[in-house]
Amino acid sequence: MQTFSFLKNPWALPHLIFIFTGMIIFLISFAEGIIYLVSEYRIKNKRIGGWFDKLPSLETIERNHNKLLNIGFVFFTLGIITGGGWSKSATGYYVSNNFQQIGSFVLWIFFAIFLRLRVSRGWVGHRGILLSCIGFVAVIILLTWAQQH
Amino acid sequence: MTLLLVGMNHKTAPVAIREKIAKEPRALEFFLNKIKKELSLTEIFGLSTCNRFEIVAVTQDASSPLNALKTFFAAETLQSLPEIEKFIYVHENTEAYRHLLRVASSLDSMVLGENQILGQFRDAYQSALDAETTGPILNRLLQKTLQFAKNVHSETCLGAGSVSVGSVAVELAEKIFDTLQNKKILLMGAGEIAELVLGALKARGVQNISITNRTFENATGLAKKFEANTKCFEDWPRWMEENDVVITSLAISSALIQEEHIKTIMGQRKNRPLFMIDLGLPRNISSQVYSTNNVYVYNIDDLKEVVDKTLSERLAVAEQVEALIEKETSQFWHSVLGTQVTITLLKQKCDQICAQELEKTFGRLKNLKEDEKESIRKGMDAVVSKILHDPILTLKNESLEAQGSLASSWLKKLFRLED
């Protein structure tokens, strides 16, 4: 059980659960975003018929996508907080000088700003969903990169 | 037994003729009962829709009721017999069954693949059942027809997609918005197609419709028809900001709605999606607008292209359905014809036995007079007919079932009948 010794820290398990759940929700939201972009491309380019006709309307897909994004963000936030707690109890600092923690914090700020401005700046529809999908891909790249360093 | 179908439809008769013979369900019931009694038909069924009027009858002999039926058609449409023959079609047996399958599957409809006919067919059958004009043969045949058509409608893509400009517009709007009931619609201009599109959207529950036109009186007239508001034409960018679906049908020399207008409008709308249908010729919306984010513009050619694509897809499916109909009718023919042959052979064998035995009896009883011999012959015929009546009736009823051919082949074995 040497491998899971880090779980002895009380912050570790909640942190992992929140981050993992958040990522799963972001992943579903990302998939919905891709479906939206493809559907939207087809409608815009007058391609009607086939399997895509069975999909819900753009408005419905976008609403579901946004709901998931907000729920995922809540879990991500809880993950950041518990991550900070874990870092504090392990190193004495809320944020250590490593890319994973700084990157995650930067991404959290990015999502917070994006979710706030999405409505007020009219980042809805195609542009809003494209930005959120790019954000998700950035999270994946960052986490993969941080794991390797 | 002969299955006889006489009818007229939108392809063979103009509306001026069809409207004279078209009947409400009650009147149709009365009409069918009248024909059934007057022509001594075994069974009868009628289908009356705005596009067709058809009578299906089961008779012992096709030729005499056919002329009488034609006379009924002529009398109802106030035409002479030679005149009415130009407008009607006649199908017998397999062809009649094939026609029924094509009608119920909507291959013979004005709009290929529409599913209204299935409901009309079902209602007509229910009326015939209520009026007790059908019997075992037609009941089985019509139930099989309805089941076949139901399978075609549910298991093939014959009814998929939209086949009118109005329904395409609704379909597209529903791909963008989850409901149209809370959406606002603006019509700029007027025109027949614009009215069709507006009508189709209103039928989907759109409540909030505004109409603007350069000639305010035209807008007022149309607004009354669609229970819509009228707007001042000069402020059109403001109305576009407020509405989610915009239909333009303006008679102008160049595009009115340019990219810069749409950018401002979309900014005001906070980029909420805007669905625009350009029915104007020349186009009312500049082609640069088409690429704007969250703006979906379709012009009349785009809508017609969708209609044509759907129709060509339906035609491809219709070919598959025709092949299914061919298979179904040949099975029917095999089954009914096989039964008919068995019945004929059975009757022939019984008649032959009767004739032989009577010959022997008359040989022994030489003092019999001719009228006495005739009475004995009639008595024998009556006994044979009564004995054969139930088996023949059962065989006829079973002829459309899967076990019909089995019963027929067993009867052949039992009585050693040979084709």
Side-chain angles (χ1 to χ4, degrees):
Chain A
M1 293 303 287
Q2 190 65 32
T3 325
F4 297 107
S5 59
F6 64 89
L7 286 175
K8 283 176 187 163
N9 189 309
W11 291 99
L13 195 61
H15 170 73
L16 289 174
I17 289 170
F18 287 138
I19 290 289
F20 183 73
T21 312
M23 289 311 288
I24 293 287
I25 294 169
F26 277 149
L27 181 70
I28 301 167
S29 165
F30 173 74
E32 282 228 51
I34 296 296
I35 291 170
Y36 178 96
L37 292 174
V38 176
S39 280
E40 203 246 0
Y41 174 82
R42 286 175 62 87
I43 294 170
K44 197 116 181 148
N45 291 281
K46 284 94 185 172
R47 293 191 189 165
I48 309 294
W51 181 81
F52 276 90
D53 277 4
K54 294 188 176 77
L55 288 173
S57 66
L58 293 181
E59 203 173 45
T60 308
I61 302 174
E62 188 181 11
R63 194 172 43 239
N64 292 340
H65 170 84
N66 291 342
K67 265 186 203 165
L68 288 169
L69 215 57
N70 285 324
I71 297 168
F73 181 72
V74 171
F75 278 95
F76 194 40
T77 307
L78 292 170
I80 294 273
I81 293 167
T82 48
W86 186 4
S87 176
K88 172 79 176 164
S89 66
T91 64
Y93 299 101
Y94 283 106
V95 181
S96 307
N97 192 17
N98 75 46
F99 282 110
Q100 195 172 355
Q101 287 189 19
I102 295 168
S104 298
F105 195 63
V106 168
L107 273 171
W108 182 85
I109 292 170
F110 164 81
F111 265 102
I113 293 170
F114 168 73
L115 290 174
R116 176 70 190 85
L117 293 183
R118 192 167 46 90
V119 182
S120 62
R121 285 289 175 92
W123 289 348
V124 293
H126 177 88
R127 188 174 295 166
I129 287 186
L130 190 64
L131 272 172
S132 69
C133 287
I134 291 170
F136 178 80
V137 173
V139 170
I140 297 297
I141 292 171
L142 185 98
L143 290 179
T144 316
W145 183 78
Q147 285 292 324
Q148 289 168 354
H149 292 77
Chain B
M1 181 206 86
T2 304
L3 184 68
L4 185 66
L5 185 148
V6 185
M8 58 169 65
N9 64 18
H10 58 282
K11 293 174 196 162
T12 63
V15 67
I17 298 289
R18 295 200 314 272
E19 70 186 3
K20 285 179 186 152
I21 201 165
K23 295 192 188 309
E24 292 295 311
R26 285 259 165 199
L28 183 64
E29 269 180 36
F30 179 77
F31 183 69
L32 292 178
N33 270 318
K34 186 179 149 194
I35 298 179
K36 195 182 172 191
K37 270 183 200 160
E38 284 187 26
L39 306 184
S40 307
L41 297 169
T42 323
E43 300 177 35
I44 192 164
F45 164 75
L47 178 66
S48 178
T49 72
C50 51
N51 283 331
R52 66 183 65 248
F53 186 86
E54 296 185 350
I55 300 285
V56 188
V58 178
T59 70
Q60 292 306 319
D61 168 33
S63 54
S64 57
L66 175 59
N67 286 327
L69 279 173
K70 282 181 185 173
T71 312
F72 267 108
F73 271 73
E76 290 289 321
T77 53
L78 310 173
Q79 302 290 310
S80 65
L81 203 56
E83 275 293 315
I84 198 68
E85 287 198 339
K86 293 180 199 164
F87 302 121
I88 61 172
Y89 42 83
V90 177
H91 299 299
E92 280 183 25
N93 298 327
T94 318
E95 286 307 313
Y97 185 42
R98 178 182 287 124
H99 182 81
L100 281 176
L101 291 172
R102 293 188 83 253
V103 168
S105 309
S106 86
L107 292 189
D108 201 44
S109 297
M110 190 180 267
V111 178
L112 179 68
E114 54 96 10
N115 57 12
Q116 202 184 1
I117 186 66
L118 187 57
Q120 290 169 328
F121 204 107
R122 196 179 288 123
D123 292 345
Y125 176 50
Q126 191 54 52
S127 297
L129 277 180
D130 295 343
E132 295 177 350
T133 59
T134 54
I137 302 281
L138 275 187
N139 282 342
R140 188 73 201 115
L141 196 77
L142 296 170
Q143 281 164 12
K144 273 177 84 81
T145 306
L146 279 168
Q147 188 57 47
F148 180 88
K150 200 176 149 195
N151 290 346
V152 164
H153 283 286
S154 62
E155 288 167 21
T156 72
C157 303
L158 191 64
S162 305
V163 284
S164 72
V165 169
S167 55
V168 168
V170 170
E171 194 189 339
L172 287 166
E174 286 178 341
K175 282 184 196 303
I176 297 164
F177 307 111
D178 59 352
T179 175
L180 294 178
Q181 287 176 1
N182 58 4
K183 296 294 177 285
K184 294 179 177 178
I185 312 253
L186 173 70
L187 170 64
M188 294 171 70
E192 201 180 325
I193 302 175
E195 282 187 42
L196 279 174
V197 172
L198 202 57
L201 288 164
K202 192 168 168 59
R204 294 298 284 188
V206 172
Q207 304 286 328
N208 201 329
I209 300 173
S210 305
I211 298 174
T212 182
N213 200 322
R214 284 187 298 177
T215 317
F216 191 72
E217 288 72 34
N218 292 350
T220 318
L222 214 53
K224 268 186 194 162
K225 190 176 172 182
F226 288 98
E227 296 167 348
N229 312 307
T230 45
K231 303 281 183 191
C232 167
F233 185 75
E234 279 65 36
D235 292 335
W236 65 264
R238 198 176 130 205
W239 313 133
M240 278 182 72
E241 286 168 26
E242 292 176 2
N243 286 277
D244 307 292
V245 179
V246 177
I247 306 163
T248 63
S249 184
L250 298 162
I252 44 176
S253 54
S254 61
L256 171 78
I257 303 166
Q258 297 293 332
E259 196 183 12
E260 56 268 24
H261 296 128
I262 285 296
K263 280 192 172 158
T264 315
I265 288 164
M266 287 308 281
Q268 292 296 324
R269 288 177 62 79
K270 297 208 157 114
N271 272 328
R272 279 182 297 116
L274 180 63
F275 177 40
M276 301 175 81
I277 304 166
D278 184 357
L279 302 171
L281 214 69
R283 287 183 295 171
N284 300 158
I285 303 170
S286 161
S287 54
Q288 288 164 327
V289 173
Y290 286 54
S291 57
T292 312
N293 250 337
N294 297 346
V295 176
Y296 307 94
V297 190
Y298 275 67
N299 61 40
I300 186 70
D301 281 358
D302 297 330
L303 298 179
K304 279 184 179 161
E305 202 177 303
V306 175
V307 170
D308 291 345
K309 187 169 170 264
T310 308
L311 280 175
S312 66
E313 281 168 1
R314 284 190 179 190
L315 277 172
V317 179
E319 277 182 31
Q320 295 166 16
V321 177
E322 292 278 12
L324 291 175
I325 287 175
E326 198 55 45
K327 198 176 158 194
E328 175 70 24
T329 44
S330 64
Q331 278 173 356
F332 161 80
W333 181 241
H334 179 74
S335 174
V336 170
L337 189 70
T339 307
Q340 205 63 44
V341 168
T342 309
I343 291 167
T344 312
L345 289 173
L346 186 64
K347 277 183 176 169
Q348 278 173 356
K349 181 155 187 175
C350 290
D351 288 345
Q352 201 183 347
I353 293 169
C354 276
Q356 282 171 356
E357 292 307 311
L358 280 173
E359 207 58 43
K360 282 183 197 169
T361 310
F362 293 156
R364 286 196 295 274
L365 303 169
K366 289 187 172 122
N367 296 332
L368 285 175
K369 290 175 190 165
E370 212 38 56
D371 57 336
E372 288 170 332
K373 283 184 183 176
E374 192 54 36
S375 293
I376 294 170
R377 274 196 200 98
K378 278 185 181 169
M380 280 291 274
D381 285 347
V383 169
V384 169
S385 294
K386 282 189 177 169
I387 290 172
L388 290 182
H389 179 264
D390 283 343
I392 287 176
L393 197 67
T394 310
L395 205 58
K396 277 183 178 174
N397 291 350
E398 296 285 317
S399 66
L400 297 172
E401 302 283 355
Q403 62 264 35
S405 56
L406 190 68
S408 179
S409 71
W410 265 108
L411 209 67
K412 276 186 179 174
K413 273 185 196 168
L414 288 172
F415 286 87
R416 295 194 176 175
L417 306 172
E418 284 175 16
D419 290 324

